[in-house]
Every structure is written in C-alpha cells, then in structure tokens.
Amino acid sequence: MIEQWLKNAFLELQEYLRLCLAFARGVVTRPFYHRDVIEQFDAIGVGSLTVVLLTGMFTGMVLALQSGVTLDQFGARSMVGRLVSASMVKELGPVLTALMVAGRVASGIAAELGSMVVTDQINALRALGTDPVRKLVVPRILAGILMVPVLTVVADSIGMLGGAIITVWQLRVARSVYWNSVVEALYIEDVWMGIIKPFFLGFVIVSIGCHVGLRTRGGTQGVGRATTNAVVAASVAVLAVDFFLTKLMFVMWY
Amino acid sequence: MERAPQSPTPSAEYDAPVTLEDAFGPGAPVVVFDRVSLAFDDKVVLEDISFTLILGHTKIFLGASGAGKSTILKLILGLLRPDAGVIWVNGERVDQLREDELMKVRADLGMVFQEGALFDSLTVRENVGYKLFEETDLPLAQVNRRVEEVLGFVGLAEYIDRMPSELSGGQRRRVAIARAMAAKPRIVLYDEPTTGLDPITSITIDEEIIKLRDLENVSSIVVTHQLRDAFYIATHTAVRENGRIRVLPADPKKEKQAEFIMLKEARVVFEGNAAELSASSDTYLRTFLG
Ligand SMILES: Nc1ncnc2c1ncn2[C@@H]1O[C@H](COP(=O)(O)OP(=O)(O)OP(=O)(O)O)[C@@H](O)[C@H]1O
Ligand SMILES: [Mg+2]
C-alpha cells in the first residue's frame, strides 16, 4: 500500500522533472512559437488582472482595519502604514496573488491540456510535427514566470492604496502620515524578496498545471479530476515553495 | 531485421519529404511491422504482429472493438513504442528514433484520428493549414490556397471560417481528412473514417480515400468496423477522364493491391485480399462478416 503510493509519487516527480527539463530545452532551442507566447501573456497576465486587483484591494483594506484596532491599544495608530506595507510586500502580496493565479490559471491549463489529451489533440499535434511541450507548455510557463511578478506588484500597490483608503477615511490618520509610514517600512531586502519570490511561484503554478493536464487519463471524468488536482497541488506548492524560499533568503541575507 | 528496407537517404540528409519513388522505386515497402508486441501494464494488446505495406497499396484492418487497431496506427506514427519488434516507416526505425527525429518521419505521414481530434480552439482554416502554417516556411498566401484546395476536395469549402464545434460529426471527419492531406503526405492512416456516419456520407469519404490513393499515389492504411466501406475501398479505383474524376469498380489486379488484416485477441487471424476474405470459411471471420 504505502510502497505503491511511494512508487507512484516517485514516478510523478520524475515525470514532473522531465517536463521541467523539456521546458528548459524548449526555451533555448528552436522552434519557438512567438504567437502562442504573446497569447499566453494576455491570457495569464491580463486575464488575471481583475481578480488580483480585487484581492489586493480587500487585503490592504482589512489589514488597515485590523492593525488599526491592535495599534490603538498602544496609541500607535500612525504606524498602520508600516504594517500594511510590510505584510503586503513581504508575504501577502506574493502569496495571495500566487494562490489566486493557482486557482484561476492552474485549473484552466489543466482542464485545457487535459481535454486535449483525452480527445487525442495532443497526439494530433505530435502527428503534425509539433512538439506539444514547445507549443503549449513553454508559452504558458514563460507567461507564468513573467506575469506573476507583475501581478504581484499590482497587488502590492493596490493593497497599499486600499490601506490608505481605510486609514484616511475610517481611522482618520493624515494621508501624509500613512504614506510616510508605508515607505519607512520598505527595507530594500524585503522589496527584493517580495519581487524575487513570484518568479518562482509563477513557474511552480504553471508547470504543475501543465504537468497535471498532460498526465490526464480516463476521459472527461479524468479532466475533472485533473483540474481539481492541479489547483490543490499548485496551491500547496505555492505555500511550501514560499516557505522554503523565505527561509533560504533569510539564510543568505541576514 | 534482415528483411528491413535500407533507405538510400539516411536521416541526417533527409530534409524535404523526398518522394518515395525516388527512395525505393515502385513495389517497395513503406511500412513494415516485424514481430511487434505491445502490452499496457499486464494487458497484451498486440502480440507478434507482422505485415508489410507496399507503396501505393492499401491495408485494411478489421477487428472487434479493443482489438488494437488504433494502437497499430499510433505505433506507426511513433506516438507509442512497442515492447518488442521492429517497425520501419519510410526506411526509418520508428521504434527506436528519438521524438525530434520522429518529426522527420511524420512529415511524410498523415493521420485521421478516430474522433477527428481537430484543435477546438482553431478555425477549420487554421486546423487544415496547421502543419503548413506552423511547421513550414511557406508564404501565407500559398498556405491559404492549399487549404482552400483540400477543403474543396472534401466538399467543405464554405465551412472554412467555422469552428470545429459548429460542424456535424461527418463534416468534422472530412475536415480531419483535409488536415491529414494538406501537407501532401505519401502515407495516410485513417482510423475508422466512416464509423457512425450515414451511408451517403460514408461513400463520399470512401471515395476521398480512393482518390487520394489512386490519383496521388498515397499509400493508405484504413482501420474500420464497416465491412461495406472496407470492401468499397478495396474494390474500387479512381481515374481521371478528360479532366473529370470518376470512381469505378477496380480490375482484379488493382483489387489485389488492397489487403485485409483481421485482428483478434492481439493477433492476426486473417491476411488476404477481398476475394479471399469473402471466400474464407473461418467461423470467426464468418461471424464478423455477418
Ligand atoms: N493508453 C492506454 N492505456 C491503457 N490501455 C490502453 C491504452 N490505449 C489503449 N488501451 C487498450 O488497448 C486495447 C486496444 O485499444 P485500441 O484503441 O487500439 O482498440 P481499437 O481496436 O482501436 O478499438 P476500437 O475499434 O474500439 O477503436 C484496448 O483494450 C484498450 O483498452
Ligand atoms: Mg480505435
């Protein structure tokens, strides 16, 4: 039982690593499908904008609200900006953006590639002389790697803006006080950390979505299963990778 | 292995799909299976399968559902690998080639998948022109001309800007045939091209297969359950008479160029031409022939 499970997990990991390798090869060698890359930038980047804007906005607002109450106990209401920006930039921006993208993009990719597998479209691609990794996987992962950081910056900014709205109108702190406090909390290491992590998270989300999609078996039912698995696996992977990257950067910088 | 054809054009120099006549001359084998076996997990799907397809000839595979017919076509394309045995296509060992080397072999193969397998995010035009558009440097105008030409060939010229989801099953099958032939492959594999279609549409598709074979000298492998279509393809021929294409009953010599192979429980149980199949007294064959 456990032996079987371990064997499957090992096989799965092996296949995943093989896909990552094939992706690397697909990036540096021809043929390269430019049009698909641009299409995916649009689908993954622009397509996720709304959900990321909403997430960032509400997160920033609730952060201001909660920290306002806590800080009031110490008479430090003017420090709200610090808390909002530090939490947004270091953790909540990257992680929440990645989780939203995992929910939206990993599932979409797994469903799309999964149904292409079960209807023989992937085989048709190969029969027509196209490597599915180059045509389908490379553009998606590239878009993930580059668009998740952009989306994260968007989420960070809109989160601070949301924090400002609550701080100024509800907590009655002066606008300049809030923004000064926001900037004060932004240490350069933290900003770097908040920018670097999303590159990895973007890669992890999309590569897992592609991997699960391409391994789909068992008809339309299999596609449903693949979609669910992709979201679960990508979300857990986001949190795990975020932890280990954070740990690694702490070791390297402090 | 000893009776495998030797290609005069080794893969390193193979760039354009060289015509098969150049490579082998008439009567040469283009697809060879030599004692091929394949199992999925512990289910044996093919065991000890051997056959040879000659240039310009037709092989028709019959067999119950699950007999391994689609699997044979996937093996020819290199989409699957056999557990044992040797497969030659156009003088290349497709059972051994790497995926990127296989692409050169596939350049000369067209495949009509069982359910069509059209790309549902692309229009009919983009589906049919896919290979020319994505995998060659042909100018766009020329690609479009070829797409219109092959769609005309299967009688779907006015559907060029539709999406696959807006087509009927039979139309989808015909678009799949158009896609398979767009890049002028010399070998076309048809996986149940007429299953589930009405007799009229089936005959149209059979005639496309016959025309491709007899007018463009395409070597064909047809998988089917439909006895009537199998016999129609085996016993008819297409000729061009003062500019018009006509499909006529074939003479006995032409008829012999179409061979039937019946699969049962992973093995070949019959191999022979239409006359031999009709004359066979094997009980399984008789039940299958009905
Ligand atoms: N990817 C796969 N994994 C496991 N088993 C498979 C796979 N593909 C096919 N099989 C099994 O191999 C056998 C042969 O399948 P194949 O698709 O070649 O049958 P077929 O002769 O084309 O049948 P049909 O006429 O129904 O299309 C079937 O029993 C099928 O269950
Ligand atoms: Mg089949």
Side-chain angles (χ1 to χ4, degrees):
Chain A
M1 225 348 232
I2 291 179
E3 202 175 313
Q4 186 63 35
W5 186 86
L6 277 176
K7 205 172 132 209
N8 284 345
F10 180 76
L11 273 178
E12 201 73 26
L13 187 68
Q14 194 182 4
E15 282 299 314
Y16 175 69
L17 293 178
R18 188 171 302 166
L19 182 73
C20 293
L21 221 70
F23 161 74
R25 212 175 313 121
V27 173
V28 293
T29 57
R30 288 173 56 75
F32 189 76
Y33 297 89
H34 307 270
R35 266 171 297 113
D36 296 274
V37 176
I38 293 168
E39 222 168 79
Q40 289 308 319
F41 270 70
D42 184 56
I44 294 181
V46 180
S48 305
L49 203 55
T50 321
V51 63
V52 165
L53 281 173
L54 288 170
T55 315
M57 179 67 124
F58 283 116
T59 309
M61 286 182 359
V62 80
L63 271 177
L65 215 54
Q66 290 278 21
S67 48
V69 174
T70 312
L71 289 173
D72 265 353
Q73 296 169 353
F74 309 99
R77 193 180 263 200
S78 57
M79 310 266 274
V80 170
R82 270 170 174 261
L83 263 166
V84 172
S85 73
S87 358
M88 266 331 270
V89 169
K90 276 199 282 193
E91 280 302 328
L92 289 176
V95 170
L96 286 178
T97 305
L99 285 176
M100 295 319 279
V101 174
R104 193 184 159 274
V105 173
S107 59
I109 290 175
E112 189 184 359
L113 299 192
S115 53
M116 288 185 79
V117 169
V118 301
T119 57
D120 261 342
Q121 289 178 59
I122 299 285
N123 277 335
L125 268 184
R126 292 168 66 199
L128 288 165
T130 297
D131 177 353
V133 172
R134 292 174 191 275
K135 172 85 179 164
L136 301 171
V137 176
V138 168
R140 284 171 175 73
I141 297 189
L142 280 183
I145 292 180
L146 295 172
M147 292 320 281
V148 172
V150 173
L151 291 169
T152 302
V153 171
V154 170
D156 289 349
S157 322
I158 201 79
M160 291 178 208
L161 197 69
I165 292 170
I166 293 298
T167 312
V168 173
W169 269 289
Q170 173 124 31
L171 303 177
R172 306 257 167 230
V173 174
R175 205 178 317 158
S176 57
V177 173
Y178 172 80
W179 286 113
N180 274 336
S181 147
V182 161
V183 174
E184 251 170 50
L186 290 181
Y187 298 103
I188 192 72
E189 289 90 346
D190 295 347
V191 174
W192 272 122
M193 188 186 282
I195 299 284
I196 291 170
K197 281 198 289 196
F199 284 93
F200 292 90
L201 299 179
F203 172 82
V204 167
I205 295 164
V206 180
S207 57
I208 287 180
C210 291
H211 166 76
V212 175
L214 288 177
R215 299 260 301 163
T216 303
R217 296 289 173 275
T220 30
Q221 221 179 358
V223 176
R225 221 164 25 232
T227 312
T228 318
N229 288 348
V231 179
V232 173
S235 308
V236 173
V238 161
L239 296 173
V241 167
D242 177 63
F243 170 77
F244 287 112
L245 278 177
T246 309
K247 180 86 188 137
L248 185 72
M249 288 183 194
F250 275 160
V251 172
M252 278 164 39
W253 286 342
Y254 301 108
Chain B
M1 253 207 245
E2 294 83 89
R3 48 195 167 96
Q6 286 304 308
S7 164
T9 49
S11 63
E13 292 158 31
Y14 186 106
D15 39 14
V18 184
T19 67
L20 289 172
E21 287 87 346
D22 293 351
F24 306 128
V30 287
V31 177
V32 178
F33 267 51
D34 191 11
R35 313 202 57 173
V36 172
S37 299
L38 176 69
F40 288 114
D41 301 322
D42 38 5
K43 187 184 184 317
V44 178
V45 177
L46 299 174
E47 199 172 345
D48 233 5
I49 304 284
S50 302
F51 67 88
T52 303
L53 173 68
I54 305 287
L55 178 65
H57 288 202
T58 311
K59 280 268 183 250
I60 300 171
F61 281 90
L62 303 171
S65 185
K69 305 180 299 294
S70 301
T71 306
I72 287 181
L73 299 188
K74 287 182 181 163
L75 283 168
I76 295 172
L77 281 163
L79 300 174
L80 293 172
R81 276 175 205 281
D83 298 333
V86 175
I87 303 172
W88 296 85
V89 176
N90 276 357
E92 303 276 355
R93 284 278 302 267
V94 296
D95 56 312
Q96 285 190 331
L97 291 184
R98 286 199 320 266
E99 182 77 14
D100 56 326
E101 296 168 328
L102 278 170
M103 294 303 182
K104 291 173 202 140
V105 180
R106 291 173 185 155
D108 216 11
L109 286 167
M111 167 90 173
V112 180
F113 284 86
Q114 193 160 353
E115 305 293 340
L118 298 179
F119 303 128
D120 39 36
S121 57
L122 303 181
T123 62
V124 167
R125 179 199 301 276
E126 291 163 336
N127 263 288
V128 174
Y130 179 86
K131 188 172 189 170
L132 298 173
F133 186 55
E134 290 283 11
E135 307 299 340
T136 68
D137 297 323
L138 227 55
L140 196 58
Q142 223 164 316
V143 172
N144 273 324
R145 210 166 325 127
R146 177 68 184 155
V147 169
E148 282 155 23
E149 187 185 2
V150 288
L151 277 175
F153 197 77
V154 297
L156 289 176
E158 68 269 40
Y159 292 89
I160 193 161
D161 289 316
R162 294 247 193 135
M163 298 304 284
S165 57
E166 299 165 339
L167 300 177
S168 76
Q171 291 166 340
R172 230 172 290 159
R173 216 72 69 82
R174 276 143 78 197
V175 172
I177 293 176
R179 181 175 71 178
M181 62 189 271
K184 299 197 173 158
R186 309 296 317 223
I187 306 170
V188 181
L189 317 174
Y190 305 88
D191 198 347
E192 308 201 6
T194 56
T195 302
L197 302 182
D198 65 277
I200 312 279
T201 315
S202 298
I203 294 291
T204 337
I205 289 182
D206 296 340
E207 291 183 346
E208 305 309 340
I209 296 172
I210 294 167
K211 281 191 260 175
L212 266 186
R213 178 190 64 198
D214 296 342
L215 304 178
E216 321 253 336
N217 204 22
V218 165
S219 317
S220 335
I221 296 188
V222 184
V223 164
T224 184
H225 289 300
Q226 318 282 104
L227 256 296
R228 201 193 26 163
D229 295 310
F231 276 100
Y232 191 87
I233 292 168
T235 57
H236 285 73
T237 183
V239 288
R240 199 173 262 128
E241 280 179 354
N242 20 357
R244 279 181 51 87
I245 298 169
R246 291 183 53 200
V247 176
L248 308 164
D251 55 48
K253 178 168 163 288
K254 178 79 196 170
E255 238 179 63
K256 286 214 169 60
Q257 297 187 354
E259 266 205 315
F260 290 81
I261 295 182
M262 167 79 85
L263 294 175
K264 183 194 173 191
E265 283 157 15
R267 290 178 170 273
V268 174
V269 292
F270 172 85
E271 188 167 4
N273 59 39
E276 288 161 359
L277 182 61
S278 314
S280 162
S281 57
D282 184 279
T283 38
Y284 182 72
L285 286 185
R286 298 268 36 118
T287 39
F288 201 88
L289 297 180

